[in-house]
């Protein structure tokens, strides 16, 4: 089985814990569904947030949807002037036999503007 990286991102309308959890969970589930994966195929998930998100860790949201046994890590994005605000990004590593150019990356809400070439 091949290891692939799957990218995804979403945006928040406000930095509120429940909203962060809902949008993060929506994104993770969409990434799994788009690639026909279950959590057993996951190797690790790396989350980043723009510096304006401080209400909670996206990994906490992921643990709430049964990813507690998957290695999860969070980090802060670089504070680049003019960058899209309130963004949660994900890099998911999984066992996936799909060719790299057929991996389905998922960009939701205003994050579709980040990678129109990859967004579904």
């Amino acid at each position: 089985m091949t290891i692939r990286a799957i990218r995804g991102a979403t945006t928040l309308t406000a930095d509120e814990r429940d909203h962060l959890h809902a949008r993060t969970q929506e994104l993770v589930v969409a990434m799994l569904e788009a690639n026909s994966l279950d959590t057993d195929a996951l190797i690790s998930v790396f989350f980043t947030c723009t510096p304006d998100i401080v209400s909670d860790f996206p990994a906490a949201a992921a643990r709430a949807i049964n990813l507690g046994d998957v290695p999860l890590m969070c980090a802060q994005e670089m504070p680049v002037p003019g960058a899209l605000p309130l963004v949660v990004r994900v890099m998911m590593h999984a066992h996936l036999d799909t060719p790299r150019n057929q991996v389905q990356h998922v960009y939701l809400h205003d994050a579709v503007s980040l990678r129109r070439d990859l967004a579904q």
Side-chain angles (χ1 to χ4, degrees):
M1 176 100 22
T2 304
I3 297 171
R4 297 286 183 217
I6 306 164
R7 290 292 315 268
T10 190
T11 55
L12 310 182
T13 56
D15 180 27
E16 298 171 351
R17 182 185 178 278
D18 290 344
H19 183 54
L20 168 66
H21 280 231
R23 289 284 174 98
T24 301
Q25 291 168 357
E26 174 189 35
L27 176 59
V28 169
V29 168
M31 292 171 71
L32 293 170
E33 289 177 354
N35 290 283
S36 301
L37 292 172
D38 61 24
T39 58
D40 287 338
L42 295 180
I43 297 166
S44 63
V45 182
F46 185 68
F47 297 93
T48 65
C49 293
T50 50
D52 49 5
I53 298 175
V54 296
S55 60
D56 201 1
F57 299 101
R63 281 192 295 277
I65 56 170
N66 298 321
L67 270 69
D69 62 343
V70 177
L72 308 172
M73 181 174 271
C74 298
Q76 187 180 78
E77 286 283 334
M78 296 169 36
V80 175
L84 186 64
L86 297 168
V87 178
V88 176
R89 290 176 174 85
V90 178
M91 174 88 66
M92 181 181 288
H93 298 97
H95 294 285
L96 184 63
D97 280 331
T98 303
R100 186 186 343 248
N101 65 351
Q102 293 178 19
V103 171
Q104 298 299 305
H105 305 284
V106 179
Y107 291 79
L108 303 176
H109 306 287
D110 289 343
V112 297
S113 68
L114 297 172
R115 290 296 304 264
R116 293 193 188 280
D117 58 319
L118 296 179
Q120 290 187 354

